[in-house]
Amino acid sequence: MLDALISADILRTGIEAILTLVPEARFRILEEGVVSRAVDPANVAMVSVELKKDAFDSFSATEAEVGVDVNRLYDILKMARKEDEVELVIDEGSNTLKVQFSGLRYTYTLIDPSAIRKEPKVPNLELPARITMKTDDFKKAILAGEKISDHVVLKTDENNFYIEAEGDTDQIVFSLTKAELVDFVPETARSMFSLDYLKEFVKPISRSEFVTIHLGTDYPARFEFTIADGRVKVEYLLAPRIESE
Amino acid sequence: MSLTFHEIARLCEKIEGISSTLEIRDVLGEFLKDIEDDGDLYNTILFLMGDVFPAWDERDLGIGIGLLYEALKFATGLSKEEMERIVKEMGDVGLAVEFIIGKKKQQLLYVEEITLQSLRNRINEISRMTGKKAQINKIRALADIFMSVSPLEARYLARLVLGELRIGVGEGIMRDAIARAFSVSSEQVERAYMLISDLGKVAVIAKNEGNSGLKKVTLTPHIPIRMMLAQMAKSIEEALKDIDMPVVEWKYDGSRVQVHKTGDKLTIYSRRLENVTPSLPEIVEGVNKSVKEDVILDGEVIAIKDGRPMPFQNILRRFRRKYDVREKAEEIPLYVIFFDILYWNGIVLIDLPLKERRKILEKVVKESERVSVATEIMSNEISVIREVYTEALKAGHEGIMMKNPESHYIPGRRGKNWLKLKPTLETLDLVVIGGEWGEGRRARFIGSYELACYDPSTNSFLRIGRVATGFSDEQLEELTGMFKDLIEGEEGKIIHFIPKIVFEVAYEEIQKSPKYESGFALRFPRLVRVRDDKSPEDADTIDRIEQIYESQF
């Protein structure tokens, strides 16, 4: 039901994005590509990874849903070199996933997808503000915030986007003007988020040049980025923390 | 629609407010009667008794107070220190969590009401979590549940996951409530429970099949059966009044085990019905060699070194060992001695008389290096029995068992068909030098006391163990009041006292221990009384402890 070739680097980034939230995930194999959505055990964050058909160097598939131990798959993929071609074969009959690169063949049994927690039905979110920025900037702000706090406030006004962290005795404000942002739909918005999650998101996000954030007020935020020229699309959804008075 | 956890929390709150056990039974019975779904009934029974799995189940939530604090920190942003302070102030983990969860800050992507079914799924999921991210995933899964419930639910959920529910529903009340709810007899419920060790399952059978279903319940290999227990006899003469012609065996100084074997599968349960198979590879090999048929055997595992049994603690240490099992197997070699058989090639033997079971046992077990059958004699002559008793003690074992040869095997029962005779060790008078504030319901009280013996040569007190059992609630309060004025210092929960008060303490055995300065520790210490007639210098000395230790061998 799947026989495909893909570059090790692309596959690894997609898997890493899922692994930040869950050790096991359901993968939907479609004729147009492979999609996985998973919610973290706390029901606070969700990840969605879409590997479009043209992200693969060759792709032949029939529709199916399989459960994958992404933790193990990632461990194996770590052994591949960036430029390695990975062959992925999912065989329905033997219920196995075969991963093959540079002479190494790894076969393991798939997990029954019904044993893996279903993604929740997340309502459609109206997120008025949209910020597109360089991932380097985003990374810098998050890592700085982490030095003094376990949460940050993301906020926008008409002209700027801010990432703010507050410690017991100190404060960090990172701001970018409209001109410094790659793209900006200005709308007043403000939400607070746990750095436990954001710092995990930073790693896969850094593989892309830009990240787009959709933001509301005391509302979940959506973080979108693409790699391999848009052929792999990753989205994180993160529930906010309520700010105390 | 599955029952919601909210309904269970409301029931817990109601039961907590009732002091009469009969009334609790009735309230519980009414509640159980109306449960439609089998899964809900099963979970209700376990949860109300404060369990998430039956005791013998290998699965374990692995959640302690530390992990709970982490989950609540995730949900509320409060620090561990702040939460500890709240717990101490409120004097109860449940009430504190109820208060803390009201301050939750983290939002969820999607909120779903927690039902018994969804809670069961999450519990099973958490128990399966292993690997490098297990800890963080457990914390997050736990946080999710706590963020999805109301403060009242959080109170009972916290106590449940910590194994501290204690709403006053014990096995007896639950048994009677099940009987009432489904109009079956308490005796049948009890019997079925002793055979399958899972009241949840028993309740489901009672609901669907009534008395006749319960009667059909029988033991199943690889599900542990409550062990038959013995009453203490005062003397041989007294014992002979209860059993005219007893079968006499040594009471081995080891640890009780129940061995289940079918084909290649072999499981060993401890007295607490825990699965200890992985820790005892040489016993597994030995039994596989000695026993070819399908059986459930009852016996004692002993550690022998230089021809004498090693103290009980060495065996217990082996039971708990998870790593380097093989190396320890060479250092502390274990042997098993069987004295009963409950099941044989598909036939349940517990309703046969002991003498018949014994014949089958001897036929089924071929003795080998690690495996033997207990030696027995049948006699009603005091002098003959006394000789066996003396021999057993001389060989370093505990004493003797006297059993009625006509008796059935009655799981979980401590009856007069099995009697044990062993010398009782004298009590010790020890000085209280420290303590620790309790947890949960006992947070306002000093929950345990550190004991020391006296060393006259240095005029100092040497620690020998701590006593935490044998207290009634009234006594806890009284003792806490008594020691409050003697507090010398406090570090977190640990308290140091000025040595002044002497406890009379009973115990099962004195063991060597590197943990305390005295070099000894007490097994199963319990408070007998406060010796207000004794001063600290009148306490038992380290020399006396050494003497008693030596006399045990």
Side-chain angles (χ1 to χ4, degrees), chain B residues 17-142:
Chain B
I18 306 174
S19 50
S20 142
T21 53
L22 288 181
E23 206 182 325
I24 293 177
R25 178 200 66 189
D26 293 352
V27 167
L28 211 49
E30 282 303 309
F31 188 91
L32 297 178
K33 195 161 90 183
D34 293 334
I35 300 178
E36 280 165 24
D37 180 75
D38 287 356
D40 280 353
L41 177 60
Y42 182 84
N43 289 322
T44 300
I45 302 276
L46 261 71
F47 293 166
L48 288 176
M49 294 182 60
D51 297 325
V52 294
F53 298 115
W56 48 270
D57 202 303
E58 277 168 81
R59 288 172 296 176
D60 175 26
L61 259 188
I63 293 173
I65 187 88
L67 214 66
L68 180 63
Y69 282 145
E70 288 289 330
L72 294 171
K73 183 179 165 202
F74 180 94
T76 64
L78 290 180
S79 72
K80 183 174 170 242
E81 291 70 31
E82 284 171 285
M83 289 189 272
E84 277 178 336
R85 189 180 50 75
I86 296 169
V87 169
K88 198 168 171 189
E89 236 164 60
M90 305 198 84
D92 174 89
V93 176
L95 294 176
V97 171
E98 178 174 5
F99 173 76
I100 288 166
I101 209 67
K103 296 176 171 295
K104 90 177 159 204
K105 295 216 181 72
Q106 179 63 55
Q107 300 289 294
L108 300 175
L109 286 174
Y110 181 76
V111 181
E112 224 172 7
E113 185 168 27
I114 300 288
T115 63
L116 291 196
Q117 186 56 54
S118 67
L119 181 59
R120 165 59 61 196
N121 291 345
R122 295 313 296 276
I123 285 172
N124 292 353
E125 214 176 282
I126 291 173
S127 74
R128 278 201 308 271
M129 288 177 177
T130 52
K132 36 180 189 240
K133 286 195 123 187
Q135 197 78 346
I136 183 77
N137 285 331
K138 274 187 184 189
I139 291 166
R140 290 185 177 174
L142 200 59

Side-chain angles (χ1 to χ4, degrees), chain B residues 372-546:
Chain B
S372 54
V373 173
T375 315
E376 59 158 23
I377 58 148
M378 197 191 276
S379 170
N380 61 356
E381 274 179 54
I382 293 173
S383 61
V384 175
I385 298 175
R386 178 153 297 129
E387 199 176 321
V388 180
Y389 181 68
T390 320
E391 271 170 23
L393 292 181
K394 230 194 266 166
H397 288 287
E398 283 185 17
I400 49 169
M401 298 290 301
M402 284 173 279
K403 297 177 179 174
N404 182 345
E406 304 299 330
S407 62
H408 298 178
Y409 191 96
I410 307 166
R413 188 70 65 81
R414 191 185 291 283
K416 288 199 164 172
N417 283 317
W418 283 18
L419 299 171
K420 60 182 171 191
L421 183 70
K422 59 177 186 179
T424 43
L425 287 171
E426 59 198 296
T427 56
L428 288 174
D429 295 329
L430 298 166
V431 187
V432 184
I433 59 162
E436 191 170 346
W437 292 104
E439 286 203 12
R441 217 163 51 85
R442 290 178 160 194
R444 286 181 299 117
F445 300 127
I446 300 166
S448 69
Y449 292 90
E450 193 143 49
L451 306 167
C453 59
Y454 183 53
D455 184 356
S457 61
T458 58
N459 191 24
S460 60
F461 298 99
L462 308 174
R463 293 183 307 140
I464 187 167
R466 53 175 58 237
V467 59
T469 47
F471 305 125
S472 64
D473 281 3
E474 291 80 344
Q475 217 173 3
L476 271 179
E477 190 158 2
E478 198 183 306
L479 289 173
T480 303
M482 189 155 127
F483 279 97
K484 259 193 176 148
D485 296 336
L486 297 175
I487 295 178
E488 226 183 357
E490 274 186 85
E491 299 157 36
K493 284 190 172 155
I494 310 287
I495 324 166
H496 305 286
F497 297 130
I498 301 163
K500 180 151 194 257
I501 293 170
V502 176
F503 278 359
E504 182 180 341
V505 175
Y507 57 94
E508 292 280 339
E509 186 184 356
I510 296 178
Q511 306 173 328
K512 283 264 188 208
S513 166
K515 198 171 148 192
Y516 300 115
E517 299 100 17
S518 64
F520 295 101
L522 304 177
R523 183 180 154 215
F524 298 145
R526 56 195 182 278
L527 176 67
V528 178
R529 63 193 165 120
V530 177
R531 290 296 301 256
D532 14 31
D533 56 327
K534 282 203 165 181
S535 69
E537 290 75 22
D538 296 325
D540 281 306
T541 61
I542 180 74
D543 292 342
R544 178 85 193 112
I545 308 277
E546 270 186 73

Side-chain angles (χ1 to χ4, degrees), chain A residues 27-201:
Chain A
F27 282 74
R28 280 212 310 276
I29 299 169
L30 306 164
E31 281 172 27
E32 313 81 67
V34 176
V35 180
S36 176
R37 292 177 86 188
V39 64
D40 95 291
N43 204 358
V44 165
M46 190 168 86
V47 59
S48 157
V49 174
E50 199 184 325
L51 296 155
K52 294 198 182 106
K53 189 177 177 175
D54 58 4
F56 295 84
D57 298 313
S58 86
F59 186 83
S60 104
T62 52
E63 278 199 23
E65 188 178 41
V66 294
V68 176
D69 184 333
V70 283
N71 203 7
R72 275 208 248 171
L73 181 56
Y74 186 71
D75 272 350
I76 294 303
L77 291 174
K78 272 201 295 204
M79 297 195 290
R81 284 178 306 238
K82 247 185 167 170
E83 62 280 9
D84 275 345
E85 253 324 77
V86 181
E87 189 185 2
L88 289 175
V89 179
I90 289 178
D91 177 38
E92 209 164 5
S94 61
N95 192 37
T96 54
L97 169 65
K98 206 160 66 188
V99 183
Q100 202 166 337
F101 55 85
S102 57
L104 188 132
R105 189 166 74 196
Y106 175 68
T107 311
Y108 81 89
T109 309
L110 292 162
I111 305 167
D112 175 6
S114 67
I116 300 172
R117 194 158 169 236
K118 259 198 201 133
E119 68 208 53
K121 295 152 248 150
V122 176
N124 272 337
L125 301 169
E126 296 280 329
L127 300 167
R130 197 182 77 212
I131 307 104
T132 301
M133 64 195 290
K134 289 199 194 118
T135 57
D136 284 350
D137 288 335
F138 182 69
K139 187 175 174 183
K140 196 193 313 169
I142 296 302
L143 297 184
E146 211 210 328
K147 302 241 182 290
I148 64 165
S149 182
D150 60 0
H151 52 271
V152 286
V153 171
L154 306 193
K155 72 175 192 191
T156 50
D157 56 27
E158 274 168 36
N159 300 305
N160 300 289
F161 170 62
Y162 306 88
I163 298 182
E164 298 177 350
E166 205 155 328
D168 291 333
T169 55
D170 39 8
Q171 196 194 22
I172 289 177
V173 179
F174 177 85
S175 67
L176 292 169
T177 62
K178 200 169 182 173
E180 290 166 312
L181 291 166
V182 179
D183 189 28
F184 189 38
V185 177
E187 193 73 52
T188 308
R190 177 192 175 101
S191 295
M192 189 202 263
F193 300 97
S194 159
L195 278 167
D196 281 354
Y197 287 89
L198 288 176
K199 71 173 185 216
E200 292 288 318
F201 296 173

